[in-house]
Amino acid sequence: MIEGALAGFTVAVTAERRRSEMAALLERRGARVISAPAITIVPLIDDDALHAATKACIGLEPHLVIATTGFGFRGWLEAAEGWGMAETLRGSLRNARIIARGPKPCGAIRAAGLIEDWAAKTEASEEVLERLLAEGVAGQRIVVQEHGEPQTEFVKALRTAGAAVVEVPVYRWALPPDTAPVRRLAEQVAAGQIDAVTFTSAPAVKAFLQIAEEVGADVTSAFNSGTLAACVGPVTAAPFAERGIPVVMPERYRLGALIKTVTDELPRRAVRLQVAGTILEVRGHAVLIDGVTHALAPAAMAILSALARKPGSVVSKEQLAAALPRGNDGHAVDVAVARLRAALGSGKHIETVIKRGYRLRIDDEAA
């Protein structure tokens, strides 16, 4: 027996950073966790472009510095320290207004002995850009710390408005060296074997969708028909929104809040039925009978899910055979039903309709 609010559900983690922490939080709640990082972080600490951008920042004596991520801001200062430029860089930053793209960079800014002028509440670059353009940036010298990829449109808008901009590339997003786990995950999502997939960055969403297309996995249909796409915030969710894919996200854009959202949402979506005097709750790879979790083999789970979609109605053997993981014939259905009955501990839940199929005996028929 498995305990926990997420018992019986399979949740995928696509993050690279903090994936162990996310997996531990989900497993503690009873979930079966699949880890498949969709992207990897490539630090640019020894990169010539970062070194040149740091020198340019110091020489520029900027009016504004835009910190987009805490991870990147810390990495920038660590790289500067390695080059013996940390104090000079801090002095340059101290004389500028520092703008944080949300609360996350604020901790890194303050840890460096600096203080932000203001932070974007939405954690979106669009909010930062809108406010700066409203204030006017003509003649301003601005440093933009990138977050995984060039901020092309953001920087272009500032330059068009008359600002001089230096871009600081601290790290880059890239596909992981081994994409087999995320390819396999895309196929599992398309096959309906995953209950929820968590995302903590927009590049991870883009990479996952790209890989799914490459392997021919129709994850869009899966997300539109039941698989939960859980994003840490609206910036992460943007690539899904562009495709019309529904997502859930927490009110506070934090990892812990994301886990809580998944923990609240998945049980809410489970099918609950009163069957033969018991409460049956059908989850991803297990069934709860009066609150007790029973793990089921894939074939038995497929049969139960197909029956639960039409409680009280006869489901033909042909339809049940089509629902089996690898397809099969009527005999395979009979074997799977027998094993399902054994797993449930009673034959009273499932009624055999001779030569036609099977059905779940809902309570108003079981008396």
Side-chain angles (χ1 to χ4, degrees), residues 181-242:
V182 72
R183 290 201 307 270
R184 187 161 53 249
L185 173 61
E187 292 168 347
Q188 290 174 303
V189 169
Q193 298 170 359
I194 306 295
D195 299 298
V197 187
T198 61
F199 297 91
T200 58
S201 73
V205 175
K206 293 176 184 176
F208 179 75
L209 293 174
Q210 173 191 324
I211 290 172
E213 288 180 1
E214 290 173 358
V215 300
D218 186 7
V219 298
T220 298
S221 294
F223 285 130
N224 280 319
S225 61
T227 302
L228 187 69
C231 298
V232 74
V235 175
T236 299
F240 280 135
E242 291 170 4

Side-chain angles (χ1 to χ4, degrees), residues 23 69 74 171 198 240 247-248 258 320 340 363:
T69 64
R74 283 190 297 271
Y171 59 90
T198 61
F240 280 135
V247 302
V248 298
L258 174 63
L320 293 174
L340 175 59
D363 271 358

Side-chain angles (χ1 to χ4, degrees), residues 64-139:
L64 293 171
V65 175
I66 300 170
T68 57
T69 64
F71 176 77
F73 195 81
R74 283 190 297 271
W76 183 20
L77 290 174
E78 287 169 4
E81 189 168 349
W83 299 320
M85 301 165 64
E87 287 308 313
T88 309
L89 176 59
R90 281 194 186 90
S92 180
L93 299 178
R94 193 171 288 115
N95 293 327
R97 290 173 61 208
I98 302 178
I99 297 166
R101 193 199 64 159
K104 288 183 181 179
C106 293
I109 292 167
R110 294 167 190 173
L114 305 168
I115 188 165
E116 72 281 359
D117 189 68
W118 57 271
K121 292 181 180 179
T122 62
E123 303 188 26
S125 296
E126 289 79 5
E127 180 185 348
V128 175
L129 182 60
E130 182 179 351
R131 179 162 170 176
L132 290 180
L133 294 180
E135 292 176 354
V137 294

